[in-house]
Amino acid sequence: MSAAASLFSRAAPLLILAALWEFVARAGIVSPGALPALSSVLAVFAGEFSRELFYHTWLSLVRGAIAMAFAIPFGIAAGILIAWYLPVRVVLNPLLQCLYPMPKVALIPLTIIWLGIGNLSKISLIFVGALVPIVMSAYQGARSIEQTLLWTARSLGARESEVLREVLLPAALPEILNGVRTALALAFILIVAGEFVIANNGVGNLINLWGQAGQYPAMFAGVLLISAAGFAVDRAFVALSSRMLAGRQS
Amino acid sequence: MTQADVSPSSGGGSDAAAPVIGVRDLDHEYRPQRGKPVLALSNISLDVKRREFLALLGPSGCGKSTLLYLIGGFLPVQKGSISVNGAPVVVPGPDRGVVFQNFALFPWKTVRQNVLYGLEKQGIARKEREERASHYIDMVHLSGFEDNYPSQLSGGMKQRVAIARTLATEPGILLMDEPFGALDSQTRTILQGELLSIWARSPMTVVFVTHDVREAVLLADRVAVMTARPGTVKAIVDTRFPEGMGAEEIMRTREFTERVDALWGMVRSEAVAAGAGGRA
């Protein structure tokens, strides 16, 4: 199958869905309030709300990026140290076990009380949510390393800090990348959820405001845009991951 | 008899006569997180001479690998002592190179990078590192595969990389834990021959763990036969063939067959005791 044909076969379900959406809305099967036509949603991107929409989506993405920029290194370091040092495990593991199943959106009121309604509370929320899967994956990855890899490194003369950096970390990398991918998806949820409640800007706030004001095409455009951003980030991350793991798969 | 063995000339305490590895009264217990400790090794005393090739032969579960890990410094010595070049073993070190059955290659490194790793840790200058890596990659016949990743290699090639990586740091002692156990029989035979010729060219002290009687007789100067758990040394058998004989040549001799038969007789009763008797 050619590349064009394979691209088409993957895009076809989406195109069918888009056509169905347009048809259902145009034919009046559902009310335009519940589902505006796709064409009118897409028109928003060229219309009066366009600038506002892109600007606020940008603000949201920057928040997410800042939170991830902290969550990734902290999460990896924490996970590996938990796996490596018993005292760290004893202290941090119970905390992690509690945090793992907790719905992070439940922390929203708490972050408002502690950190106000500015950027800090939203970024912290995303940070905490993203941190958990990264820590877990780094921990699992480090725990599942083959003993003989560590022994080999030591017998070749590596010091403990070198064993951590040069053997344990790269050995755990496939697991860590899985964890970061999960964290990215969670981050998008928390970006929007946080902005619904505690923001005066950001795409989540816009979706909320436009929904309340009855600007349904604009609201749908906001949903579409942040979804597309989430999709693009995920695809880019998958591509980056397979590049980082190049050579490991046969 | 013991008196006569101690000739005046060997009593001088010269370097060559002193054992490179000395194991004394060694016991070792496995202490699982749950359940009772299991005695894996009991009362092991063993000397390995300089440039000797010693095989540890025994049924699976007899603790022969454990003994190797203790010599390597990977497990803590609990009772008794192990010395290497006169100093007690505490931690792993580059004086004792190690090759594992599962190859233990770094999958994120290419063949060359794997071989270079130990040389970097030894602080060897870049130019010499590169030269040595090429030399040892060539020695195990992997020239042309320097930039391949382990995932792109066959099992036999992976073990060649692991051997090159260990030899490159030029350890005085080579510890091998069933290094050919995961390979098909043809590849195993070829690698056994290559190991013999490498060892003939650059003699090291080798401790080689195996459960394969033929392999032990073919490769080793002496074979230490171990009992089923708890592992003890049941007998030490001389299996040296004249220097310069290749693997094929050795295997065609009558002595080879006889020694294999004799050792098999000793190992079989232990294998039966270890619960592997069903396989004959």
Side-chain angles (χ1 to χ4, degrees), chain A residues 146 148-149 151-152 155-158 162 166-167 170-171 247-250, chain B residues 69 74 93-94 98 100 102 104-105 107-108 117-118 121-122 149 151 165:
Chain A
E146 279 179 56
T148 50
L149 278 188
W151 286 358
T152 299
S155 90
L156 290 171
E162 293 172 327
E166 296 166 359
V167 180
R248 294 203 202 193
Q249 292 96 353
S250 48
Chain B
Y69 300 158
F74 304 122
V98 61
F100 294 104
N102 69 355
L105 296 178
W108 55 91
Y117 187 74
K121 296 298 111 183
Q122 307 291 301
Y149 284 91
S151 65
R165 177 177 64 184

PDB file of all heavy atoms in Angstrom, chain A residues 146 148-149 151-152 155-158 162 166-167 170-171 247-250, chain B residues 69 74 93-94 98 100 102 104-105 107-108 117-118 121-122 149 151 165:
ATOM      1  N   GLU A 146      17.663  -5.426  34.436  1.00  0.00           N
ATOM      2  CA  GLU A 146      18.361  -6.692  34.647  1.00  0.00           C
ATOM      3  C   GLU A 146      19.559  -6.462  35.573  1.00  0.00           C
ATOM      4  O   GLU A 146      20.402  -5.607  35.310  1.00  0.00           O
ATOM      5  CB  GLU A 146      18.887  -7.237  33.317  1.00  0.00           C
ATOM      6  CG  GLU A 146      17.849  -7.952  32.497  1.00  0.00           C
ATOM      7  CD  GLU A 146      18.442  -8.439  31.194  1.00  0.00           C
ATOM      8  OE1 GLU A 146      19.444  -9.177  31.249  1.00  0.00           O
ATOM      9  OE2 GLU A 146      17.930  -8.062  30.141  1.00  0.00           O
ATOM     10  N   THR A 148      22.186  -8.066  35.879  1.00  0.00           N
ATOM     11  CA  THR A 148      23.501  -8.249  35.264  1.00  0.00           C
ATOM     12  C   THR A 148      24.003  -6.975  34.573  1.00  0.00           C
ATOM     13  O   THR A 148      25.212  -6.793  34.435  1.00  0.00           O
ATOM     14  CB  THR A 148      23.479  -9.403  34.252  1.00  0.00           C
ATOM     15  OG1 THR A 148      22.373  -9.224  33.370  1.00  0.00           O
ATOM     16  CG2 THR A 148      23.346 -10.739  34.951  1.00  0.00           C
ATOM     17  N   LEU A 149      23.078  -6.094  34.150  1.00  0.00           N
ATOM     18  CA  LEU A 149      23.522  -4.831  33.554  1.00  0.00           C
ATOM     19  C   LEU A 149      24.236  -3.981  34.599  1.00  0.00           C
ATOM     20  O   LEU A 149      25.281  -3.377  34.332  1.00  0.00           O
ATOM     21  CB  LEU A 149      22.326  -4.045  33.012  1.00  0.00           C
ATOM     22  CG  LEU A 149      21.772  -4.408  31.640  1.00  0.00           C
ATOM     23  CD1 LEU A 149      20.735  -3.373  31.219  1.00  0.00           C
ATOM     24  CD2 LEU A 149      22.878  -4.468  30.616  1.00  0.00           C
ATOM     25  N   TRP A 151      25.637  -5.091  37.373  1.00  0.00           N
ATOM     26  CA  TRP A 151      26.881  -5.767  37.756  1.00  0.00           C
ATOM     27  C   TRP A 151      27.967  -5.542  36.711  1.00  0.00           C
ATOM     28  O   TRP A 151      29.135  -5.326  37.044  1.00  0.00           O
ATOM     29  CB  TRP A 151      26.611  -7.266  37.932  1.00  0.00           C
ATOM     30  CG  TRP A 151      25.862  -7.599  39.183  1.00  0.00           C
ATOM     31  CD1 TRP A 151      25.455  -6.720  40.150  1.00  0.00           C
ATOM     32  CD2 TRP A 151      25.436  -8.904  39.611  1.00  0.00           C
ATOM     33  NE1 TRP A 151      24.795  -7.403  41.146  1.00  0.00           N
ATOM     34  CE2 TRP A 151      24.775  -8.739  40.841  1.00  0.00           C
ATOM     35  CE3 TRP A 151      25.553 -10.181  39.075  1.00  0.00           C
ATOM     36  CZ2 TRP A 151      24.243  -9.814  41.547  1.00  0.00           C
ATOM     37  CZ3 TRP A 151      25.010 -11.249  39.778  1.00  0.00           C
ATOM     38  CH2 TRP A 151      24.363 -11.063  41.004  1.00  0.00           C
ATOM     39  N   THR A 152      27.562  -5.625  35.447  1.00  0.00           N
ATOM     40  CA  THR A 152      28.534  -5.416  34.372  1.00  0.00           C
ATOM     41  C   THR A 152      29.144  -4.022  34.473  1.00  0.00           C
ATOM     42  O   THR A 152      30.366  -3.860  34.412  1.00  0.00           O
ATOM     43  CB  THR A 152      27.853  -5.586  33.005  1.00  0.00           C
ATOM     44  OG1 THR A 152      27.336  -6.906  32.910  1.00  0.00           O
ATOM     45  CG2 THR A 152      28.829  -5.346  31.875  1.00  0.00           C
ATOM     46  N   SER A 155      31.548  -3.831  37.332  1.00  0.00           N
ATOM     47  CA  SER A 155      32.793  -4.562  37.141  1.00  0.00           C
ATOM     48  C   SER A 155      33.660  -3.885  36.084  1.00  0.00           C
ATOM     49  O   SER A 155      34.871  -4.080  36.061  1.00  0.00           O
ATOM     50  CB  SER A 155      32.518  -6.022  36.778  1.00  0.00           C
ATOM     51  OG  SER A 155      32.425  -6.172  35.391  1.00  0.00           O
ATOM     52  N   LEU A 156      33.054  -3.066  35.228  1.00  0.00           N
ATOM     53  CA  LEU A 156      33.865  -2.320  34.259  1.00  0.00           C
ATOM     54  C   LEU A 156      34.431  -1.049  34.875  1.00  0.00           C
ATOM     55  O   LEU A 156      35.169  -0.321  34.228  1.00  0.00           O
ATOM     56  CB  LEU A 156      33.022  -1.975  33.026  1.00  0.00           C
ATOM     57  CG  LEU A 156      32.644  -3.165  32.128  1.00  0.00           C
ATOM     58  CD1 LEU A 156      31.640  -2.739  31.072  1.00  0.00           C
ATOM     59  CD2 LEU A 156      33.878  -3.773  31.472  1.00  0.00           C
ATOM     60  N   GLY A 157      34.046  -0.770  36.120  1.00  0.00           N
ATOM     61  CA  GLY A 157      34.663   0.347  36.834  1.00  0.00           C
ATOM     62  C   GLY A 157      33.770   1.551  37.036  1.00  0.00           C
ATOM     63  O   GLY A 157      34.248   2.610  37.437  1.00  0.00           O
ATOM     64  N   ALA A 158      32.458   1.433  36.767  1.00  0.00           N
ATOM     65  CA  ALA A 158      31.568   2.574  36.956  1.00  0.00           C
ATOM     66  C   ALA A 158      31.313   2.807  38.438  1.00  0.00           C
ATOM     67  O   ALA A 158      31.127   1.861  39.194  1.00  0.00           O
ATOM     68  CB  ALA A 158      30.247   2.335  36.238  1.00  0.00           C
ATOM     69  N   GLU A 162      27.625   6.993  38.404  1.00  0.00           N
ATOM     70  CA  GLU A 162      27.685   6.692  36.972  1.00  0.00           C
ATOM     71  C   GLU A 162      26.741   5.551  36.612  1.00  0.00           C
ATOM     72  O   GLU A 162      26.124   5.558  35.550  1.00  0.00           O
ATOM     73  CB  GLU A 162      29.125   6.331  36.573  1.00  0.00           C
ATOM     74  CG  GLU A 162      30.070   7.509  36.687  1.00  0.00           C
ATOM     75  CD  GLU A 162      31.530   7.130  36.485  1.00  0.00           C
ATOM     76  OE1 GLU A 162      31.929   6.006  36.863  1.00  0.00           O
ATOM     77  OE2 GLU A 162      32.276   7.959  35.958  1.00  0.00           O
ATOM     78  N   GLU A 166      24.242   6.439  33.806  1.00  0.00           N
ATOM     79  CA  GLU A 166      24.637   5.876  32.521  1.00  0.00           C
ATOM     80  C   GLU A 166      24.025   4.507  32.251  1.00  0.00           C
ATOM     81  O   GLU A 166      24.069   4.028  31.121  1.00  0.00           O
ATOM     82  CB  GLU A 166      26.169   5.778  32.454  1.00  0.00           C
ATOM     83  CG  GLU A 166      26.840   7.144  32.499  1.00  0.00           C
ATOM     84  CD  GLU A 166      28.335   7.065  32.769  1.00  0.00           C
ATOM     85  OE1 GLU A 166      28.855   5.951  32.941  1.00  0.00           O
ATOM     86  OE2 GLU A 166      28.964   8.133  32.815  1.00  0.00           O
ATOM     87  N   VAL A 167      23.495   3.867  33.281  1.00  0.00           N
ATOM     88  CA  VAL A 167      22.920   2.528  33.071  1.00  0.00           C
ATOM     89  C   VAL A 167      21.448   2.488  33.493  1.00  0.00           C
ATOM     90  O   VAL A 167      20.581   2.141  32.688  1.00  0.00           O
ATOM     91  CB  VAL A 167      23.730   1.454  33.832  1.00  0.00           C
ATOM     92  CG1 VAL A 167      23.122   0.078  33.611  1.00  0.00           C
ATOM     93  CG2 VAL A 167      25.180   1.474  33.362  1.00  0.00           C
ATOM     94  N   PRO A 170      19.117   5.150  31.290  1.00  0.00           N
ATOM     95  CA  PRO A 170      18.791   4.702  29.926  1.00  0.00           C
ATOM     96  C   PRO A 170      18.047   3.374  29.888  1.00  0.00           C
ATOM     97  O   PRO A 170      17.222   3.164  29.000  1.00  0.00           O
ATOM     98  CB  PRO A 170      20.156   4.596  29.233  1.00  0.00           C
ATOM     99  CG  PRO A 170      21.173   4.661  30.287  1.00  0.00           C
ATOM    100  CD  PRO A 170      20.564   5.366  31.462  1.00  0.00           C
ATOM    101  N   ALA A 171      18.306   2.501  30.859  1.00  0.00           N
ATOM    102  CA  ALA A 171      17.584   1.226  30.874  1.00  0.00           C
ATOM    103  C   ALA A 171      16.103   1.454  31.169  1.00  0.00           C
ATOM    104  O   ALA A 171      15.245   0.721  30.689  1.00  0.00           O
ATOM    105  CB  ALA A 171      18.193   0.278  31.903  1.00  0.00           C
ATOM    106  N   GLY A 247      17.216   1.859  17.452  1.00  0.00           N
ATOM    107  CA  GLY A 247      18.287   0.885  17.640  1.00  0.00           C
ATOM    108  C   GLY A 247      17.927  -0.183  18.648  1.00  0.00           C
ATOM    109  O   GLY A 247      18.463  -1.274  18.606  1.00  0.00           O
ATOM    110  N   ARG A 248      17.010   0.130  19.572  1.00  0.00           N
ATOM    111  CA  ARG A 248      16.702  -0.877  20.597  1.00  0.00           C
ATOM    112  C   ARG A 248      15.775  -1.951  20.058  1.00  0.00           C
ATOM    113  O   ARG A 248      15.872  -3.095  20.448  1.00  0.00           O
ATOM    114  CB  ARG A 248      16.031  -0.220  21.797  1.00  0.00           C
ATOM    115  CG  ARG A 248      16.978   0.722  22.505  1.00  0.00           C
ATOM    116  CD  ARG A 248      16.538   0.902  23.933  1.00  0.00           C
ATOM    117  NE  ARG A 248      17.060   2.136  24.467  1.00  0.00           N
ATOM    118  CZ  ARG A 248      17.043   2.427  25.746  1.00  0.00           C
ATOM    119  NH1 ARG A 248      16.517   1.605  26.606  1.00  0.00           N
ATOM    120  NH2 ARG A 248      17.543   3.558  26.172  1.00  0.00           N
ATOM    121  N   GLN A 249      14.835  -1.528  19.178  1.00  0.00           N
ATOM    122  CA  GLN A 249      13.942  -2.538  18.607  1.00  0.00           C
ATOM    123  C   GLN A 249      14.622  -3.183  17.409  1.00  0.00           C
ATOM    124  O   GLN A 249      15.332  -2.529  16.669  1.00  0.00           O
ATOM    125  CB  GLN A 249      12.616  -1.902  18.159  1.00  0.00           C
ATOM    126  CG  GLN A 249      11.764  -1.396  19.292  1.00  0.00           C
ATOM    127  CD  GLN A 249      11.960   0.093  19.544  1.00  0.00           C
ATOM    128  OE1 GLN A 249      12.839   0.712  18.954  1.00  0.00           O
ATOM    129  NE2 GLN A 249      11.154   0.654  20.419  1.00  0.00           N
ATOM    130  N   SER A 250      14.388  -4.467  17.259  1.00  0.00           N
ATOM    131  CA  SER A 250      14.994  -5.138  16.110  1.00  0.00           C
ATOM    132  C   SER A 250      14.146  -4.876  14.879  1.00  0.00           C
ATOM    133  O   SER A 250      12.986  -4.571  14.957  1.00  0.00           O
ATOM    134  CB  SER A 250      15.096  -6.630  16.371  1.00  0.00           C
ATOM    135  OG  SER A 250      13.879  -7.120  16.849  1.00  0.00           O
TER     136      SER A 250
ATOM    137  N   TYR B  69      29.564 -15.265  41.463  1.00  0.00           N
ATOM    138  CA  TYR B  69      29.155 -13.900  41.820  1.00  0.00           C
ATOM    139  C   TYR B  69      29.880 -13.419  43.070  1.00  0.00           C
ATOM    140  O   TYR B  69      30.170 -12.234  43.221  1.00  0.00           O
ATOM    141  CB  TYR B  69      27.641 -13.820  42.059  1.00  0.00           C
ATOM    142  CG  TYR B  69      26.777 -14.216  40.879  1.00  0.00           C
ATOM    143  CD1 TYR B  69      25.464 -14.616  41.059  1.00  0.00           C
ATOM    144  CD2 TYR B  69      27.287 -14.182  39.572  1.00  0.00           C
ATOM    145  CE1 TYR B  69      24.671 -14.977  39.979  1.00  0.00           C
ATOM    146  CE2 TYR B  69      26.499 -14.547  38.489  1.00  0.00           C
ATOM    147  CZ  TYR B  69      25.195 -14.956  38.698  1.00  0.00           C
ATOM    148  OH  TYR B  69      24.409 -15.317  37.644  1.00  0.00           O
ATOM    149  N   PHE B  74      29.933  -9.347  43.516  1.00  0.00           N
ATOM    150  CA  PHE B  74      28.563  -8.881  43.300  1.00  0.00           C
ATOM    151  C   PHE B  74      27.670  -9.202  44.488  1.00  0.00           C
ATOM    152  O   PHE B  74      26.652  -8.555  44.696  1.00  0.00           O
ATOM    153  CB  PHE B  74      27.982  -9.520  42.030  1.00  0.00           C
ATOM    154  CG  PHE B  74      28.820  -9.281  40.813  1.00  0.00           C
ATOM    155  CD1 PHE B  74      29.332 -10.340  40.079  1.00  0.00           C
ATOM    156  CD2 PHE B  74      29.126  -7.988  40.412  1.00  0.00           C
ATOM    157  CE1 PHE B  74      30.122 -10.115  38.961  1.00  0.00           C
ATOM    158  CE2 PHE B  74      29.912  -7.753  39.300  1.00  0.00           C
ATOM    159  CZ  PHE B  74      30.420  -8.824  38.575  1.00  0.00           C
ATOM    160  N   GLY B  93      35.327  -5.219  40.509  1.00  0.00           N
ATOM    161  CA  GLY B  93      36.413  -4.365  40.028  1.00  0.00           C
ATOM    162  C   GLY B  93      36.889  -4.824  38.672  1.00  0.00           C
ATOM    163  O   GLY B  93      36.643  -5.962  38.269  1.00  0.00           O
ATOM    164  N   PRO B  94      37.572  -3.927  37.980  1.00  0.00           N
ATOM    165  CA  PRO B  94      38.020  -4.234  36.618  1.00  0.00           C
ATOM    166  C   PRO B  94      39.133  -5.283  36.555  1.00  0.00           C
ATOM    167  O   PRO B  94      39.494  -5.710  35.456  1.00  0.00           O
ATOM    168  CB  PRO B  94      38.499  -2.874  36.082  1.00  0.00           C
ATOM    169  CG  PRO B  94      38.711  -2.036  37.280  1.00  0.00           C
ATOM    170  CD  PRO B  94      37.842  -2.555  38.372  1.00  0.00           C
ATOM    171  N   VAL B  98      33.800  -9.915  33.635  1.00  0.00           N
ATOM    172  CA  VAL B  98      32.720 -10.886  33.780  1.00  0.00           C
ATOM    173  C   VAL B  98      31.897 -10.976  32.496  1.00  0.00           C
ATOM    174  O   VAL B  98      31.705  -9.981  31.796  1.00  0.00           O
ATOM    175  CB  VAL B  98      31.844 -10.520  35.008  1.00  0.00           C
ATOM    176  CG1 VAL B  98      31.216  -9.156  34.831  1.00  0.00           C
ATOM    177  CG2 VAL B  98      30.792 -11.567  35.268  1.00  0.00           C
ATOM    178  N   PHE B 100      28.216 -12.762  31.263  1.00  0.00           N
ATOM    179  CA  PHE B 100      27.016 -13.447  31.744  1.00  0.00           C
ATOM    180  C   PHE B 100      26.327 -14.217  30.620  1.00  0.00           C
ATOM    181  O   PHE B 100      26.499 -13.913  29.445  1.00  0.00           O
ATOM    182  CB  PHE B 100      26.023 -12.435  32.325  1.00  0.00           C
ATOM    183  CG  PHE B 100      26.504 -11.759  33.570  1.00  0.00           C
ATOM    184  CD1 PHE B 100      26.955 -10.450  33.536  1.00  0.00           C
ATOM    185  CD2 PHE B 100      26.517 -12.435  34.778  1.00  0.00           C
ATOM    186  CE1 PHE B 100      27.408  -9.821  34.684  1.00  0.00           C
ATOM    187  CE2 PHE B 100      26.970 -11.810  35.934  1.00  0.00           C
ATOM    188  CZ  PHE B 100      27.411 -10.508  35.882  1.00  0.00           C
ATOM    189  N   ASN B 102      23.233 -14.081  29.825  1.00  0.00           N
ATOM    190  CA  ASN B 102      22.265 -13.252  29.079  1.00  0.00           C
ATOM    191  C   ASN B 102      22.933 -12.061  28.387  1.00  0.00           C
ATOM    192  O   ASN B 102      22.281 -11.090  28.042  1.00  0.00           O
ATOM    193  CB  ASN B 102      21.142 -12.794  30.004  1.00  0.00           C
ATOM    194  CG  ASN B 102      21.616 -11.785  31.043  1.00  0.00           C
ATOM    195  OD1 ASN B 102      22.819 -11.483  31.140  1.00  0.00           O
ATOM    196  ND2 ASN B 102      20.707 -11.241  31.819  1.00  0.00           N
ATOM    197  N   ALA B 104      24.079  -9.295  28.802  1.00  0.00           N
ATOM    198  CA  ALA B 104      24.117  -8.037  29.557  1.00  0.00           C
ATOM    199  C   ALA B 104      24.733  -6.894  28.762  1.00  0.00           C
ATOM    200  O   ALA B 104      25.509  -6.099  29.284  1.00  0.00           O
ATOM    201  CB  ALA B 104      24.864  -8.225  30.896  1.00  0.00           C
ATOM    202  N   LEU B 105      24.368  -6.813  27.482  1.00  0.00           N
ATOM    203  CA  LEU B 105      24.825  -5.668  26.683  1.00  0.00           C
ATOM    204  C   LEU B 105      23.933  -4.471  26.983  1.00  0.00           C
ATOM    205  O   LEU B 105      22.772  -4.627  27.345  1.00  0.00           O
ATOM    206  CB  LEU B 105      24.752  -6.007  25.196  1.00  0.00           C
ATOM    207  CG  LEU B 105      25.668  -7.128  24.730  1.00  0.00           C
ATOM    208  CD1 LEU B 105      25.455  -7.391  23.249  1.00  0.00           C
ATOM    209  CD2 LEU B 105      27.127  -6.791  25.002  1.00  0.00           C
ATOM    210  N   PRO B 107      21.592  -2.059  25.645  1.00  0.00           N
ATOM    211  CA  PRO B 107      20.861  -2.071  24.372  1.00  0.00           C
ATOM    212  C   PRO B 107      20.816  -0.707  23.691  1.00  0.00           C
ATOM    213  O   PRO B 107      20.515  -0.634  22.504  1.00  0.00           O
ATOM    214  CB  PRO B 107      19.452  -2.542  24.760  1.00  0.00           C
ATOM    215  CG  PRO B 107      19.327  -2.288  26.214  1.00  0.00           C
ATOM    216  CD  PRO B 107      20.709  -2.362  26.783  1.00  0.00           C
ATOM    217  N   TRP B 108      21.120   0.359  24.433  1.00  0.00           N
ATOM    218  CA  TRP B 108      21.074   1.698  23.841  1.00  0.00           C
ATOM    219  C   TRP B 108      22.438   2.086  23.256  1.00  0.00           C
ATOM    220  O   TRP B 108      22.606   3.175  22.753  1.00  0.00           O
ATOM    221  CB  TRP B 108      20.640   2.734  24.877  1.00  0.00           C
ATOM    222  CG  TRP B 108      21.506   2.733  26.115  1.00  0.00           C
ATOM    223  CD1 TRP B 108      22.632   3.486  26.330  1.00  0.00           C
ATOM    224  CD2 TRP B 108      21.314   1.937  27.285  1.00  0.00           C
ATOM    225  NE1 TRP B 108      23.163   3.188  27.560  1.00  0.00           N
ATOM    226  CE2 TRP B 108      22.377   2.253  28.166  1.00  0.00           C
ATOM    227  CE3 TRP B 108      20.355   0.992  27.675  1.00  0.00           C
ATOM    228  CZ2 TRP B 108      22.500   1.639  29.414  1.00  0.00           C
ATOM    229  CZ3 TRP B 108      20.491   0.401  28.916  1.00  0.00           C
ATOM    230  CH2 TRP B 108      21.543   0.725  29.767  1.00  0.00           C
ATOM    231  N   TYR B 117      32.796   1.305  26.659  1.00  0.00           N
ATOM    232  CA  TYR B 117      32.326   1.766  27.973  1.00  0.00           C
ATOM    233  C   TYR B 117      33.340   1.511  29.094  1.00  0.00           C
ATOM    234  O   TYR B 117      33.692   2.408  29.859  1.00  0.00           O
ATOM    235  CB  TYR B 117      30.975   1.128  28.322  1.00  0.00           C
ATOM    236  CG  TYR B 117      30.381   1.692  29.586  1.00  0.00           C
ATOM    237  CD1 TYR B 117      29.820   2.954  29.592  1.00  0.00           C
ATOM    238  CD2 TYR B 117      30.405   0.981  30.785  1.00  0.00           C
ATOM    239  CE1 TYR B 117      29.288   3.502  30.740  1.00  0.00           C
ATOM    240  CE2 TYR B 117      29.873   1.519  31.947  1.00  0.00           C
ATOM    241  CZ  TYR B 117      29.317   2.783  31.915  1.00  0.00           C
ATOM    242  OH  TYR B 117      28.803   3.324  33.064  1.00  0.00           O
ATOM    243  N   GLY B 118      33.808   0.272  29.168  1.00  0.00           N
ATOM    244  CA  GLY B 118      34.772  -0.043  30.223  1.00  0.00           C
ATOM    245  C   GLY B 118      36.058   0.741  30.086  1.00  0.00           C
ATOM    246  O   GLY B 118      36.663   1.157  31.075  1.00  0.00           O
ATOM    247  N   LYS B 121      35.584   4.110  31.497  1.00  0.00           N
ATOM    248  CA  LYS B 121      35.586   4.065  32.961  1.00  0.00           C
ATOM    249  C   LYS B 121      37.002   3.894  33.511  1.00  0.00           C
ATOM    250  O   LYS B 121      37.285   4.274  34.643  1.00  0.00           O
ATOM    251  CB  LYS B 121      34.698   2.926  33.475  1.00  0.00           C
ATOM    252  CG  LYS B 121      33.231   3.032  33.158  1.00  0.00           C
ATOM    253  CD  LYS B 121      32.586   4.234  33.768  1.00  0.00           C
ATOM    254  CE  LYS B 121      32.208   5.223  32.688  1.00  0.00           C
ATOM    255  NZ  LYS B 121      31.619   6.463  33.209  1.00  0.00           N
ATOM    256  N   GLN B 122      37.877   3.292  32.710  1.00  0.00           N
ATOM    257  CA  GLN B 122      39.262   3.112  33.149  1.00  0.00           C
ATOM    258  C   GLN B 122      40.090   4.377  32.935  1.00  0.00           C
ATOM    259  O   GLN B 122      41.261   4.418  33.296  1.00  0.00           O
ATOM    260  CB  GLN B 122      39.934   1.973  32.384  1.00  0.00           C
ATOM    261  CG  GLN B 122      39.188   0.660  32.408  1.00  0.00           C
ATOM    262  CD  GLN B 122      39.204   0.040  33.777  1.00  0.00           C
ATOM    263  OE1 GLN B 122      40.254  -0.227  34.320  1.00  0.00           O
ATOM    264  NE2 GLN B 122      38.030  -0.165  34.348  1.00  0.00           N
ATOM    265  N   TYR B 149      23.388  -2.069  16.620  1.00  0.00           N
ATOM    266  CA  TYR B 149      22.902  -2.182  17.986  1.00  0.00           C
ATOM    267  C   TYR B 149      22.730  -3.660  18.330  1.00  0.00           C
ATOM    268  O   TYR B 149      22.520  -4.485  17.446  1.00  0.00           O
ATOM    269  CB  TYR B 149      21.571  -1.448  18.135  1.00  0.00           C
ATOM    270  CG  TYR B 149      21.729   0.050  18.186  1.00  0.00           C
ATOM    271  CD1 TYR B 149      21.670   0.805  17.019  1.00  0.00           C
ATOM    272  CD2 TYR B 149      21.969   0.697  19.387  1.00  0.00           C
ATOM    273  CE1 TYR B 149      21.839   2.189  17.053  1.00  0.00           C
ATOM    274  CE2 TYR B 149      22.135   2.069  19.431  1.00  0.00           C
ATOM    275  CZ  TYR B 149      22.069   2.811  18.266  1.00  0.00           C
ATOM    276  OH  TYR B 149      22.239   4.167  18.327  1.00  0.00           O
ATOM    277  N   SER B 151      20.282  -5.266  19.357  1.00  0.00           N
ATOM    278  CA  SER B 151      19.018  -5.842  18.858  1.00  0.00           C
ATOM    279  C   SER B 151      19.148  -6.321  17.416  1.00  0.00           C
ATOM    280  O   SER B 151      18.320  -7.089  16.951  1.00  0.00           O
ATOM    281  CB  SER B 151      17.903  -4.797  18.954  1.00  0.00           C
ATOM    282  OG  SER B 151      18.172  -3.712  18.091  1.00  0.00           O
ATOM    283  N   ARG B 165      33.936  -6.697  25.027  1.00  0.00           N
ATOM    284  CA  ARG B 165      33.822  -5.601  25.989  1.00  0.00           C
ATOM    285  C   ARG B 165      34.618  -5.916  27.254  1.00  0.00           C
ATOM    286  O   ARG B 165      35.289  -5.046  27.813  1.00  0.00           O
ATOM    287  CB  ARG B 165      32.343  -5.392  26.349  1.00  0.00           C
ATOM    288  CG  ARG B 165      32.109  -4.328  27.393  1.00  0.00           C
ATOM    289  CD  ARG B 165      30.639  -4.109  27.658  1.00  0.00           C
ATOM    290  NE  ARG B 165      30.009  -5.295  28.228  1.00  0.00           N
ATOM    291  CZ  ARG B 165      28.712  -5.400  28.495  1.00  0.00           C
ATOM    292  NH1 ARG B 165      27.903  -4.387  28.232  1.00  0.00           N
ATOM    293  NH2 ARG B 165      28.216  -6.500  29.013  1.00  0.00           N
TER     294      ARG B 165
END
